[in-house]
Amino acid sequence: MQQVTISGTLLSDAENCVDKNQRSYIRFTVTCGDNDENGRSIYTHYRCTCYIAGYEKMKKGDQVFVTGKQKIRLGQTAQGEPKINIDVMVFQISGGRRADQRNTR
């Protein structure tokens, strides 16, 4: 099994879903920034599926750390151009709140 750990930012709010067995899960996309060999910023997007309860209210911009099983597939855009889909079935997650939303006591 391939396992990947990702630290990144949500591109949009987590989407609440129900599978064919009536189990609740969320879907979200995490983006991770890096620099290419010329120093330019590049981003990789990971489409995540998560059955772990308690993260349903994650919002765009939240920072997360996820670990899961990675699956990479070649797909096509609507224009027929090749694109890579990177999916992660999440089995461990932390974060999910922006620093300005944390409770301080």
Side-chain angles (χ1 to χ4, degrees), residues 19-80:
D19 69 14
K20 64 182 178 180
N21 296 317
Q22 302 305 309
R23 295 182 301 164
S24 295
Y25 68 96
I26 57 172
R27 289 193 304 205
F28 52 92
T29 301
V30 176
T31 185
C32 300
D34 202 354
N35 293 319
D36 68 9
E37 60 276 356
N38 297 315
R40 294 179 295 210
S41 296
I42 57 171
Y43 297 90
T44 303
H45 304 300
Y46 298 87
R47 300 184 318 179
C48 299
T49 302
C50 178
Y51 280 88
I52 301 168
Y55 293 92
E56 298 82 6
K57 295 184 180 180
M58 293 192 305
K59 299 290 185 189
K60 177 180 179 178
D62 284 354
Q63 299 271 321
V64 294
F65 297 89
V66 299
T67 300
K69 182 179 179 183
Q70 175 178 273
K71 183 177 183 179
I72 300 174
R73 297 177 293 118
L74 185 60
Q76 288 185 341
T77 66
Q79 296 76 28

